[in-house]
Amino acid sequence: MLKKAEANAPYDVIVVPGIQFENNQWDTVMKGRVYWSKFLFDKGIAQNIIYSGAAVYTPYCEAEIMAMYAEAIGIPKANIYTETKAEHSTENIFYGYKKALQLGFKKVALASDPFQTKMLRKFIRKKVSKDVAIIPFVTDTLKMLQPAMITPSIPYEKAFKEDFISIKERDSFWRRLRGTIRGNIDTTAYR
């Protein structure tokens, strides 16, 4: 997949789905997704990045946290965007794609871990656009980068959302599962 992405590069923007921020630090999945986006940016495969995700399971906006980490590890702020409505993987790519179009980007890709990209492939083709490329991270590449990976300090308090209510309290398990599979998509967002 990486060779195909390189052959079709550059992408105007990649959409990177969020993941919850807990215990005031990023976990390995968030770190992997942010470093993968930096790798794609540094290689010239991606010209810009949209981090997507609301405050879903914790009171911290996932997209804003990831954007802070991205800037702290060297991605220029001018190339970082956030989408803050998405609460499910399907919404990450749907809203991320719509926001990309709203910003004037045309060539869009999803960049995430192999599990999530595989899970979203069919949804993207049917509900988003057949033109969205999919770039799963290459585990061996991330392992190669790992010695140089840092965990910078970020002002995570800025991403804290007052009056936050966890999705676990707002939605039943079945509604959350339906959201993960099909999304509770607001088709009027980012028009």
Side-chain angles (χ1 to χ4, degrees), residues 30-185:
M30 182 185 286
K31 190 174 190 177
R33 290 180 188 176
V34 173
Y35 267 100
W36 183 240
S37 66
K38 182 176 182 349
F39 173 80
L40 296 174
F41 180 82
D42 289 347
K43 294 267 297 175
I45 295 169
Q47 295 178 327
N48 297 283
I49 302 156
I50 295 175
Y51 295 102
S52 173
V56 184
Y57 290 95
T58 72
Y60 296 93
C61 179
E62 297 168 3
E64 293 172 8
I65 291 288
M66 292 173 80
M68 285 184 225
Y69 276 121
E71 185 179 2
I73 64 170
I75 299 172
K77 189 173 187 165
N79 301 95
I80 298 171
Y81 298 87
T82 58
E83 182 292 305
T84 60
K85 294 180 186 291
E87 294 188 332
H88 302 282
S89 298
T90 49
E91 294 172 15
N92 290 128
I93 187 57
F94 186 89
Y95 294 149
Y97 177 72
K98 294 295 185 185
K99 183 156 189 177
L101 296 179
Q102 184 185 63
L103 292 166
F105 299 125
K106 296 188 182 354
K107 199 169 178 183
V108 181
L110 169 72
S112 189
D113 56 85
F115 175 79
Q116 188 174 49
T117 55
K118 184 176 182 180
M119 182 185 80
L120 289 172
R121 182 178 309 281
K122 189 175 181 180
F123 176 82
I124 291 168
R125 299 293 177 249
K126 287 187 170 196
K127 302 288 184 180
V128 182
S129 171
K130 291 178 180 158
D131 295 328
V132 173
I134 299 171
I135 311 172
F137 66 61
V138 178
T139 306
D140 289 346
T141 300
L142 285 180
K143 282 182 184 175
M144 182 186 71
L145 298 172
Q146 198 165 15
M149 290 182 182
I150 60 169
T151 297
S153 180
I154 61 166
Y156 61 83
E157 308 83 14
K158 291 181 178 182
F160 184 83
K161 302 302 171 197
E162 295 291 332
D163 302 323
F164 167 79
I165 300 171
S166 171
I167 195 169
K168 287 184 174 182
E169 294 174 36
R170 291 183 282 120
D171 291 346
S172 70
F173 169 80
W174 296 109
R175 181 164 167 77
R176 291 193 317 270
L177 181 61
R178 190 182 111 220
T180 299
I181 295 168
R182 290 182 289 175
N184 299 312
I185 294 172

